[in-house]
Amino acid sequence: MIRTLEQFDAYVAAEKKIEPKDWMPDGYRKTLIRQISQHAHSEVVGMLPEGNWITRAPSLQRKAILLAKVQDEAGHGLYLYSAAETLGVERADLIDDLLSGKAKYSSIFNYPVLTWADIGAIGWLVDGAAIMNQVPLCRCSYGPYSRSMIRVCKEESFHQRQGYSIMVELMKGNEAQREMAQDALNRWWWPSLMMFGPSDKDSEHSSQNMTWKIKRFTNDELRQRMVDMTVPQAECIGLKMPDKDLKWNEETGHHDFGEINWDEFYNVLAGNGPCNKERLAVRNKAHHDGAWVREAAVAYAKKNQKIRA
Amino acid sequence: MNKPQHKQALLRLGDDALILGQRLGEWCGHAPALEEDIALTNIALDLIGQTQSYLSLAGSLNEGESQTDDQLAFHRTERDFKNLLLVEQPNGDFGDTIVRQFLFDHFALLRAEHLASQTFDLEAAAIAAKAIKEIRYHADHSSKWVIRLGDGTTESHERVQKSLNELWKFTGEMFTADEIDVAGIESGLLPDLTILKTKWDTAIDAVLKKSTLIRPENGWMQQGGRKGIHTESFGFLLAEMQSLPRTYPDATW
C-alpha cells in the first residue's frame, strides 16, 4: 500500500494503478472527484436530450436501440458515481451539487435535439468526441476510474456506430432525410469540437494532470484527432463539413480547420446555452417528484433490517 | 381459430407490449433514482423486443400482402389497436406506473407460460418462451416495489393504495373472453381466462398481503381496448409515436 508522496510518484511514473486505500495527494483526490463526478453528471443529464426521442423513434428497431443506448448512459452514471465514492464522497452529495448548479456537466447537452437526425449526429459526433476523450482515461492512474472507463468505452463505441448508422441510413434516403442529416451535422459539428475544452493555451488543469497520468493528451491534440477521424466519415456518405477553412495539410499530415467560437463556448458553460435551465429544471423535478419513493425504499429497508436482526 | 382470428390474437399480444413499452419509454431520465431509470428503460426494451416478434408474426398472417412490424406499429389508427386499456393509462407518479406494471406483469407472465406450452402456433410459443425469462424479472421488480411502497412510509402507502384503487377497474378486461379468446381457447393457442384469473388472484394477493395494501373490491370494470375503443390519452400517445413515419411514409430509417 502507498503511504508517502515518494511512493505515490514512483507508482504513477511506473504506470501502476493507485487504489482507493492508497495515500494520495489532496489535489489528486480533488481533481479526480471533480472529473469523475462531472463525467457521471454528464451521463445523467445526457439521458434527457436523447430520452426525448425514445417515444418518437421512427421504427421499432430504432426505438429498441435508443432505449438500449440511453440505458447504457444511466449505467455509466452509476458506475462513475461508484468510482467517485471510492474517493470518500457520497453520491447523494454529488447529485445535490448537480441540482444546485454548483457542479458542471458536459455543455454539449445544453443544445436542443430538434430532429431525428440529431440523434444520429449525437451518437456519431458527441459520443465520438467522448470516446476520443475517454479512451486515454482507460489508462488513467486511478484504478477504479480506469476500470470503469474500460467498460464505458466499449459501450460508447457501440453508441457511436449506432449514430453513424442513423446518418448513413438518412443519407441513403429521400431528399428531406438527407437535408435533415446535413442540418444536424451543421448544428452539432462545432459544439462537438468544443467538447475537448479550451485551447491548450487557455487550459488550467492540463500540466499537473499529465504528470499524474489522469490526462494523457492535450485538448488540442484530441480535437485534431476528432477532425481527422470525422472528415473522411462525412465525405464517405456525402455530407459536407460546415467549415469553409477546413482543408488537408500535406505538411502536417492533418486537417487544418477554422476557429472555434469561444464566445459561444464560454457562454454555454456559464449557463446561457439554449437548454441549460431546462435540463437542470427537469433533473430537479425528477429528484423532487421521486423523493417519496426513495424515502419509502429507505423506510422499508430499515424496517426489514430490524425484523431480520 | 381461423387466420384473421389468429392474427387478431397476436396483435393483442404485440399491442399490449408496444403500448406499455411506449409509456415506460416516457420515463427515461425522470425516474426517482438512477437504478430505476435503468430498470424502466430495460423493461421498455424487453417489451419493444416482444412487440417486434409478435407484430411481425401477426403481419405474416395478413390476408393479402404480409405486413411488417413497423407498418403495424406506425400506420394503424386508434381503433385498430387492440391493447388492454390498462397498459395505455398515463404514467402518473412512480406508484401509478409500478401498480400498472404489477397488475399487467402477473397477467403477462401467466399468459406467456400458456403460450410457451401450446403447439397450435410454434413460433408464438418460441417468442413466449423467450419473453417468460424477461417477464419474470419485470414481475419481480414491480412486486418488490409494490411491497416497498405499500409497507414504506405513510405517504407511500397512501399514494400506492390510491394508484391501486384507481387502476383496478382496468383489470377486468384482462379476463373477459370475447370471440377471439373463445376461438383461441378452442384451438389451444390462448389460455382459459377463468383459470388464469384464479392464478392471477393468488399471485396478486400474495404480494398485496406483504405490502399491507388492501385489495380493491371488484366494482365496475372498464372495457374496450380489445375492440379498439380506447381512453382519451391514447390518441396523443399514437400521435407522438407515429409522427415521423407518418410524415415520411416512404422513408426507411
Side-chain angles (χ1 to χ4, degrees):
Chain A
M1 209 166 103
I2 296 169
R3 297 180 197 281
T4 64
L5 175 62
E6 289 70 33
Q7 283 176 326
F8 175 87
D9 285 341
Y11 239 68
V12 171
E15 297 284 343
K16 289 183 186 165
K17 297 293 177 219
I18 305 299
E19 295 299 334
K21 288 183 177 164
D22 287 332
W23 181 91
M24 60 187 84
D26 282 347
Y28 179 82
R29 186 184 298 274
K30 267 188 206 152
T31 299
L32 281 170
I33 292 173
R34 184 180 57 87
Q35 184 170 329
I36 300 173
S37 61
Q38 275 185 15
H39 188 173
H41 298 330
S42 303
E43 299 282 356
V44 171
V45 176
M47 294 170 73
L48 299 173
E50 292 186 293
N52 281 335
W53 279 89
I54 286 176
T55 52
R56 290 178 289 169
S59 72
L60 292 171
Q61 189 62 20
R62 290 290 177 199
K63 196 189 288 290
I65 293 170
L66 191 55
L67 276 164
K69 176 178 193 283
V70 182
Q71 183 199 301
D72 283 350
E73 320 279 6
H76 297 174
L78 257 191
Y79 29 96
L80 287 163
Y81 282 128
S82 303
E85 285 190 322
T86 65
L87 291 158
V89 287
E90 295 281 332
R91 198 213 304 188
D93 296 330
L94 297 174
I95 289 175
D96 283 345
D97 286 347
L98 168 68
L99 298 178
S100 70
K102 189 178 150 202
K104 294 264 179 274
Y105 56 87
S106 178
S107 271
I108 195 78
F109 300 119
N110 291 318
Y111 288 87
V113 180
L114 302 177
T115 72
W116 173 251
D118 289 24
I119 295 296
I122 289 175
W124 175 35
L125 303 172
V126 174
D127 292 322
I131 295 171
M132 210 61 92
N133 268 327
Q134 288 165 7
V135 165
L137 291 173
C138 298
R139 293 192 288 135
C140 169
S141 59
Y142 187 58
Y145 193 25
S146 152
R147 289 188 288 274
S148 47
M149 290 319 299
I150 290 169
R151 189 159 167 194
V152 167
C153 283
K154 280 185 191 159
E155 294 178 347
E156 289 293 347
S157 105
F158 151 76
H159 297 175
Q160 196 209 5
R161 272 177 280 165
Q162 72 85 34
Y164 191 61
S165 125
I166 290 176
M167 298 306 261
V168 170
E169 207 59 49
L170 290 173
M171 291 307 287
K172 285 198 292 197
N174 61 36
E175 202 185 330
Q177 286 175 297
R178 287 195 298 275
E179 274 174 22
M180 203 188 273
Q182 182 64 55
D183 170 62
L185 172 61
N186 296 350
R187 281 181 290 110
W188 287 93
W189 174 241
W190 291 104
S192 301
L193 289 187
M194 293 177 199
M195 283 176 69
F196 297 93
S199 167
D200 291 349
K201 58 183 191 315
D202 303 315
S203 179
E204 19 174 342
H205 303 292
S206 269
S207 70
Q208 176 66 79
N209 289 352
M210 291 275 201
T211 324
W212 277 337
K213 301 208 168 141
I214 295 174
K215 211 175 159 93
R216 301 266 173 179
F217 302 99
T218 71
N219 294 352
D220 287 337
E221 282 168 352
L222 293 168
R223 193 168 6 247
Q224 183 67 55
R225 281 191 194 181
M226 174 75 184
V227 175
D228 291 340
M229 183 195 77
T230 309
V231 172
Q233 291 175 344
E235 276 170 6
C236 175
I237 55 173
L239 285 165
K240 200 174 164 300
M241 296 303 290
D243 179 356
K244 61 178 173 32
D245 298 321
L246 184 84
K247 59 173 186 299
W248 177 250
N249 184 327
E250 281 292 346
E251 268 172 51
T252 60
H254 294 288
H255 293 88
D256 293 336
F257 56 97
E259 183 64 20
I260 286 171
N261 183 346
W262 293 112
D263 190 33
E264 176 180 321
F265 172 81
Y266 285 109
N267 262 294
V268 179
L269 199 63
N272 301 325
C275 303
N276 295 59
K277 286 195 179 62
E278 289 83 344
R279 299 290 185 243
L280 266 194
V282 169
R283 283 310 318 157
N284 271 291
K285 185 174 187 305
H287 190 74
H288 178 262
D289 290 352
W292 69 275
V293 177
R294 295 190 300 276
E295 283 159 19
V298 171
Y300 178 79
K302 276 189 185 158
K303 270 188 221 177
N304 266 33
Q305 261 172 2
K306 273 185 208 152
I307 293 166
R308 270 191 227 126
Chain B
M1 75 195 308
N2 61 33
K3 208 168 154 191
Q5 287 171 324
H6 187 182
K7 182 190 172 192
Q8 281 300 314
L10 292 167
L11 277 180
R12 292 175 179 192
L13 291 162
D15 288 350
D16 283 349
L18 172 59
I19 302 307
L20 188 55
Q22 176 73 8
R23 280 290 187 221
L24 289 177
E26 293 171 16
W27 267 103
C28 187
H30 306 272
L34 208 40
E35 286 81 351
E36 285 312 302
D37 271 316
I38 298 178
L40 296 177
T41 39
N42 203 342
I43 296 166
L45 179 57
D46 288 342
L47 289 167
I48 297 304
Q50 293 170 20
T51 305
Q52 289 177 285
S53 303
Y54 283 128
L55 289 188
S56 298
L57 190 54
S60 72
L61 294 174
N62 193 43
E63 296 289 345
E65 247 181 82
S66 73
Q67 298 160 302
T68 65
D69 52 349
D70 283 339
Q71 280 169 341
L72 288 167
F74 297 103
H75 295 282
R76 278 181 298 157
T77 51
E78 287 86 343
R79 292 296 311 280
D80 296 328
F81 277 83
K82 301 295 160 60
N83 56 282
L84 294 165
L85 296 180
L86 177 67
V87 298
E88 74 194 39
Q89 294 312 302
N91 285 339
D93 69 12
F94 184 74
D96 295 327
T97 291
I98 285 297
V99 169
R100 182 184 66 196
Q101 194 70 36
F102 165 67
L103 298 171
F104 176 75
D105 286 342
H106 285 279
F107 166 75
L109 182 57
L110 293 166
R111 183 174 61 177
E113 282 169 352
H114 174 89
L115 280 162
S117 66
Q118 52 77 38
T119 51
F120 176 79
D121 182 340
L122 290 176
E123 215 168 319
I127 298 167
K130 180 169 177 280
I132 286 174
K133 295 179 198 152
E134 299 166 343
I135 303 170
R136 276 202 195 113
Y137 277 106
H138 305 173
D140 183 58
H141 172 261
S142 60
S143 300
K144 282 182 176 155
W145 269 113
V146 165
I147 295 169
R148 269 185 220 118
L149 296 176
D151 192 21
T153 62
T154 312
E155 182 186 3
S156 70
H157 179 89
E158 280 169 10
R159 275 181 183 250
V160 80
Q161 181 69 58
K162 188 163 172 268
S163 309
L164 188 63
N165 296 348
E166 282 174 10
L167 287 166
W168 196 256
K169 66 172 178 286
F170 298 112
T171 59
E173 190 176 37
M174 299 191 284
F175 306 104
T176 308
D178 63 6
E179 66 287 355
I180 304 284
D181 292 296
V182 172
I185 293 161
E186 272 171 20
S187 71
L189 176 68
L190 298 178
D192 182 326
L193 292 172
T194 330
I195 298 169
L196 213 67
K197 172 77 160 66
T198 316
K199 291 184 182 169
W200 183 82
D201 279 337
T202 310
I204 294 292
D205 288 346
V207 175
L208 289 184
K209 188 163 176 251
K210 284 190 198 160
S211 73
T212 74
L213 294 166
I214 295 161
R215 182 190 165 108
E217 294 293 322
N218 283 327
W220 166 251
M221 290 293 176
Q222 192 64 47
Q223 318 237 3
R226 296 302 193 211
K227 295 204 165 359
I229 299 170
H230 294 275
T231 45
E232 247 180 24
S233 66
F234 188 66
F236 294 94
L237 178 149
L238 279 195
E240 186 175 345
M241 182 175 83
Q242 298 180 334
S243 61
L244 261 182
R246 293 279 189 179
T247 311
Y248 306 103
D250 302 322
T252 53
W253 304 91

